[in-house]
Amino acid sequence: MPDTRPAGCRTGHEALARGDWEAAQVAFSAVIEDRELPEALEGLGLAGWWLDNATLVFGSRERAYRLYHDGGDRCAAARIAVWLAWDAWAFRGETAVANGWLQRARTLLEGAGDVAERAWLELREGALALFDEGDPDRAHCHATEGIRVARAVGSIDLEMLGRALQGLALVASGAVAEGMRALDEVNAAVVAGDMSDLVAIGLASCYMIAACDRVRDYDRAVQWCTRLKAFSAKWGLRPLFAVCRTQYASICMWRGTWLEAEQELASATDELAASRPAMTADALVRLAELRRRQGRLVDAADLFERAEPHALAALGRAELAFDRGDARAAADLAQRYLRRMPVHNRTDRAAALDLLTRALVRAGDADAAKTALDELTAIASLVATPPLRAAASFAAGHIDAAAGDHDAARRHLEDAVDLYRESGAPYELARARIELARALAALGRTAAAIEEAQRAVDLLAELQAELELSRARALLSTLSEAPASRSPGASPAGLTPREIEVLRLVAEGLNNQAIGERLFVSEHTVHRHVANIFGKLSVSSRAAAVAQAARRNLLA
């Protein structure tokens, strides 16, 4: 069939296909100057969307909708209505308006049968159900229907986008292995070149990273984030790039590279504030969490308030209350968050259940704490990722310690330490070491408690997590002053357990970098320990330190 579109529309669509959004805008604008065609307005709206030009997006699409509708093209009008629903949510945060446009699209498609527009509607409605309402079951139902329609009309792009949304919904509900298989398949299709629509490709990649973020699968997330950032930069996909940076910052925060996390969040916040202010809350709430971990509680409180009504803002405020010692307020806020989160959204509930358990223990409500722990343990068993298993063990350790069963607490906290270390999470690892030190001290194992506290101090000093660092140092000071703090095998040279550990690795011939990798600290921290060892042993070389240690029987 010959292409009957105006030459300007053909030129505009060719520019869209190669990612030249400015050229597309020029081409479609030229057509509209001659005649206001809905096809040209639709193309202009898409160019404006990629350029983050909200005024152009709404003006073009609203006019395109009216022309399609008045011309009797109900499917095309429904397609634009779905876009306008997304625009209302992303640019303006108008959920009610978004839902209105989705319902309008559904009405327009009544009796149309299986058409691509119906698949597009199902997938966008499913995404809003998951991201705005936290309902993975509804999202899965919409995705399943969208996949069916996409297959019926032969749209590989919409089918793969549906598979990606379905995978993310499965992960959110706790079916991690099944969901990740679906997401891996979709992203393999992207790499293989099976998909061509840039919107579908970008969304599918974002869903993959969001799934990894939910279950702390950060090795997988780093790989896909790197690829998505490169893809976004190549094609000039600014909105996707900003969202990707926000998600990547969570990876950096978990792994302890907080400076990089701050840089990514600052850039993403600026980009989103300039073009899509309704989406800035996601970046703000993550920046607030970073400030909380740094111990900058006033700054964190301000950012959490600015991020309202983002669901994670309520959880962040609960963590802040716990940091400030108000366990009752922390528990109330965590329960408030959980009331908003469907019970089948297991991954989003897990973090709140971890905090709720600890807060209720501190508030003296043991029965309610056990109930929260039961749900958390069930989720951790279902999802079965190391970070969630670690969180359940960490919370269980608090309950056992409060009940006076310090040996059971020790076992749970040792499991938490091992799992957090496996997960590459230094902040969580340090907090688990602090609680393990308390349990060991309660069992009279003071030397082992000092060693755990010292390791926590090292990790938190490296992170510059000032509030937790002050707590770890206070605990270490208390333990060191205890009458039984020196065991028969303790160092007569005044070396701390950590310094002896470093000295033994020096004796094995490891350099500072290798020691840091072994102990999960930076090379700078190892250098400081080595300098302290030299001073306490009155030596000036590694060989002399090892020889002195051997004479004093410190290496046994």
Side-chain angles (χ1 to χ4, degrees):
M1 294 288 292
D3 190 343
T4 59
R5 294 175 301 178
C9 281
R10 292 198 299 272
T11 302
H13 284 292
E14 289 167 359
L16 288 176
R18 65 176 183 269
D20 192 344
W21 320 123
E22 289 84 359
Q25 179 182 353
V26 170
F28 288 122
S29 296
V31 174
I32 293 166
E33 287 180 7
D34 180 58
R35 182 184 174 194
E36 198 173 58
L37 296 174
E39 296 86 352
L41 286 165
E42 182 177 2
L44 184 60
L46 184 56
W49 189 84
W50 285 117
L51 290 167
D52 273 341
N53 186 332
T55 301
L56 183 61
V57 166
F58 282 98
S60 301
R61 286 179 172 161
E62 287 171 354
R63 286 151 58 204
Y65 169 82
R66 175 49 50 198
L67 289 174
Y68 277 134
H69 183 274
D70 291 349
D73 192 340
R74 294 170 67 89
C75 285
R79 182 175 64 248
I80 301 301
V82 175
W83 269 109
L84 284 166
W86 188 1
D87 298 334
W89 180 76
F91 283 101
R92 297 173 176 171
E94 297 174 341
T95 304
V97 175
N99 287 329
W101 277 115
L102 289 174
Q103 184 55 48
R104 186 72 189 117
R106 192 165 292 282
T107 300
L108 288 168
L109 291 173
E110 288 177 356
D114 289 340
V115 292
E117 286 78 8
R118 184 176 297 281
W120 177 232
L121 167 63
E122 296 290 348
L123 299 181
R124 294 317 302 156
E125 192 163 356
L128 283 174
L130 183 58
F131 292 113
D132 191 59
E133 301 171 26
D135 191 337
D137 285 1
R138 273 193 61 212
H140 189 276
C141 289
H142 283 297
T144 300
E145 177 62 9
I147 292 168
R148 185 196 67 77
V149 176
R151 285 174 177 168
V153 300
S155 173
I156 186 66
D157 286 307
L158 290 174
E159 179 185 346
M160 289 296 102
L161 179 56
R163 292 280 290 151
L165 177 59
Q166 192 178 60
L168 178 57
L170 286 167
V171 169
S173 66
V176 176
E178 185 182 356
M180 285 300 187
R181 281 196 299 271
L183 287 160
D184 281 338
E185 177 193 348
V186 173
N187 281 274
V190 172
V191 172
D194 294 340
M195 297 175 66
S196 59
D197 185 274
L198 294 175
V199 174
I201 290 171
L203 287 173
S205 299
C206 280
Y207 293 166
M208 164 62 84
I209 298 167
C212 293
D213 188 22
R214 283 172 177 265
V215 297
R216 305 292 192 266
D217 187 351
Y218 287 134
D219 287 335
R220 188 191 304 244
V222 166
Q223 297 173 39
W224 287 114
C225 237
T226 300
R227 192 182 64 76
L228 179 56
K229 287 172 73 175
F231 180 81
S232 298
K234 174 185 176 182
W235 288 93
L237 312 184
R238 291 190 294 186
L240 292 179
F241 188 62
V243 172
C244 181
R245 297 183 85 160
T246 299
Q247 294 170 329
Y248 181 68
S250 287
I251 301 169
C252 298
M253 201 185 312
W254 177 263
R255 291 189 156 189
T257 55
W258 287 2
L259 178 59
E260 187 176 5
E262 182 156 358
Q263 292 169 343
E264 293 287 353
L265 287 170
S267 297
T269 301
D270 290 344
E271 291 170 17
L272 292 169
S275 59
R276 299 175 184 235
M279 296 179 67
T280 57
D282 198 46
L284 285 173
V285 78
R286 294 170 196 261
L287 182 57
E289 174 59 16
L290 177 59
R291 292 286 181 262
R292 187 191 70 79
R293 291 177 176 230
Q294 291 170 330
R296 297 167 57 178
L297 302 189
V298 174
D299 292 341
D302 177 63
L303 288 166
F304 280 129
E305 184 174 346
R306 288 170 56 193
E308 291 286 3
H310 195 291
L312 289 178
L315 186 56
R317 289 169 53 220
E319 289 280 11
L320 273 178
F322 189 81
D323 289 339
R324 289 169 169 161
D326 191 344
R328 189 69 261 170
D332 289 345
L333 287 165
Q335 289 168 329
R336 181 177 179 180
Y337 168 89
L338 287 166
R339 286 195 297 271
R340 295 174 57 185
M341 200 58 57
V343 293
H344 44 273
N345 188 343
R346 295 177 176 86
T347 54
D348 278 349
R349 290 180 66 85
L353 290 165
D354 171 23
L355 171 61
L356 179 59
T357 302
R358 292 182 281 116
L360 289 170
V361 166
R362 186 176 291 182
D365 194 343
D367 290 339
K370 289 176 182 176
T371 300
L373 178 62
D374 286 344
E375 184 180 351
L376 176 60
T377 302
I379 292 172
S381 298
L382 177 66
V383 175
T385 59
L388 286 181
R389 287 163 52 211
S393 295
F394 187 54
H398 281 76
I399 287 181
D400 290 333
D405 191 345
H406 299 293
D407 198 47
R410 172 191 61 80
R411 292 193 297 272
H412 281 302
L413 292 166
E414 285 175 345
D415 290 345
V417 165
D418 292 342
L419 289 164
Y420 279 133
R421 183 169 51 213
E422 177 187 341
S423 304
Y427 180 78
E428 285 75 9
L429 174 59
R431 291 196 311 159
R433 287 197 184 282
I434 290 172
E435 298 309 318
L436 177 56
R438 296 186 195 280
L440 289 167
L443 291 169
R445 297 168 57 178
T446 311
I450 289 174
E451 183 175 357
E452 291 297 337
Q454 181 63 60
R455 289 181 173 183
V457 166
D458 290 343
L459 288 169
L460 295 165
E462 182 69 22
L463 291 170
Q464 297 182 352
E466 296 302 327
L467 181 61
E468 290 296 331
L469 178 58
S470 67
R471 291 172 176 166
R473 282 175 170 161
L475 174 61
L476 181 60
S477 176
T478 300
L479 293 171
S480 299
E481 292 170 1
S485 63
R486 174 170 291 186
S487 66
S491 167
L495 298 178
T496 67
R498 187 61 147 183
E499 289 165 352
I500 292 175
E501 189 174 18
V502 170
L503 184 53
R504 288 171 180 161
L505 295 175
V506 169
E508 291 181 20
L510 275 64
N511 61 24
N512 287 0
Q513 180 181 355
I515 293 171
E517 292 171 356
R518 180 80 65 87
L519 300 181
F520 202 41
V521 297
S522 73
E523 189 174 349
H524 173 75
T525 297
V526 176
H527 176 79
R528 176 166 52 80
H529 284 312
V530 171
N532 289 340
I533 291 167
F534 284 4
K536 291 178 180 180
L537 297 180
S538 300
V539 297
S540 58
S541 70
R542 298 166 84 90
V546 171
Q548 184 75 262
R551 283 195 296 271
R552 298 191 185 198
N553 196 32
L554 300 179
L555 302 179

